[in-house]
Amino acid sequence: MPKYKPIKIKLNEQEDAEVYYQKVCGKNETVRRHARILYYAGQGTASMKELCQKAECDYGTASLLLERYEKDGITAMYQCRRGKKPCRLDEYEKEIEEELDRHPAKSVPEIIVMLKEKFGITITATPVRNWLKKRGIITDKPKQYRQKQMKRHRNIS
């Protein structure tokens, strides 16, 4: 006989009302889906399989949301995985800026090499350019990029 993961969700009266409201009237589809999962879990659904069938979701979504609920409470219902991911360079921001102050790099490829050697970060040029731009750090533009811009400008005129 297979062993099922028990659902240990107990919603208090206020949480139950909030979950039901979001399940019925919520404007965000993701929050409505999360509310459905928490609602049926709070109603005493016996197994994950039954919960997934009632809430019309997959096992991974339901188990992740229940884990988040145990950790964060009702706010887990509002956590959506949208938006930009945080840049890996933000973790080393001070060290990278200090290194660039000591040894100014002339181009993005030089910075990429420096990041690999000093910090062990393997990263492509675009996130590095965006990170530098966000901090107002200016590097020389590559010649190839300037040539493309000149060709476009000539074609438009």
Side-chain angles (χ1 to χ4, degrees):
M1 187 162 183
K3 192 174 190 178
Y4 293 108
K5 183 179 179 180
I7 299 172
K8 304 172 190 172
I9 299 289
K10 298 289 183 201
L11 299 173
N12 62 34
E13 198 172 303
Q14 183 181 2
E15 289 176 338
D16 193 40
E18 186 176 348
V19 166
Y20 182 77
Y21 174 79
Q22 289 297 337
K23 177 177 106 62
V24 175
C25 303
K27 293 182 180 180
N28 185 326
E29 176 61 35
T30 304
V31 174
R32 273 198 316 259
R33 189 176 328 115
H34 290 176
R36 259 194 327 264
I37 295 167
L38 289 177
Y39 176 77
Y40 290 120
Q43 295 296 315
T45 305
S47 67
M48 284 295 286
K49 183 177 180 180
E50 185 183 343
L51 174 65
C52 293
Q53 288 172 346
K54 284 183 178 180
E56 299 172 0
C57 67
D58 60 84
Y59 182 89
T61 303
S63 62
L64 181 64
L65 181 63
L66 294 177
E67 286 174 17
R68 279 195 209 147
Y69 178 80
E70 289 174 6
K71 184 177 136 193
D72 301 331
I74 196 71
T75 58
M77 177 172 62
Y78 298 104
Q79 292 178 357
C80 300
R81 298 271 185 188
R82 294 193 182 135
K84 288 187 174 182
K85 293 181 181 177
C87 183
R88 289 184 292 165
L89 300 177
D90 290 339
E91 297 173 22
Y92 303 97
E93 181 175 2
K94 288 181 182 177
E95 294 90 350
I96 293 170
E97 287 180 357
E98 288 171 3
E99 185 65 32
L100 290 174
D101 287 341
R102 278 183 271 165
H103 308 286
K106 295 188 178 198
S107 66
V108 173
E110 287 179 21
I111 294 172
I112 292 171
V113 170
M114 181 268 299
L115 291 171
K116 177 72 175 170
E117 291 173 355
K118 304 269 181 181
F119 302 100
I121 300 172
T122 305
I123 193 166
T124 60
T126 301
V128 172
R129 269 193 218 99
N130 293 340
W131 188 83
L132 293 170
K133 185 178 179 182
K134 191 164 66 171
R135 277 145 190 81
I137 301 170
I138 300 170
T139 60
D140 294 338
K141 292 184 178 179
K143 189 186 261 185
Q144 183 181 14
Y145 176 75
R146 283 192 229 150
Q147 289 173 351
K148 284 182 181 179
Q149 293 294 74
M150 293 300 290
K151 286 179 184 177
R152 283 189 198 152
H153 185 17
R154 286 186 202 143
N155 291 339
I156 293 173
S157 302

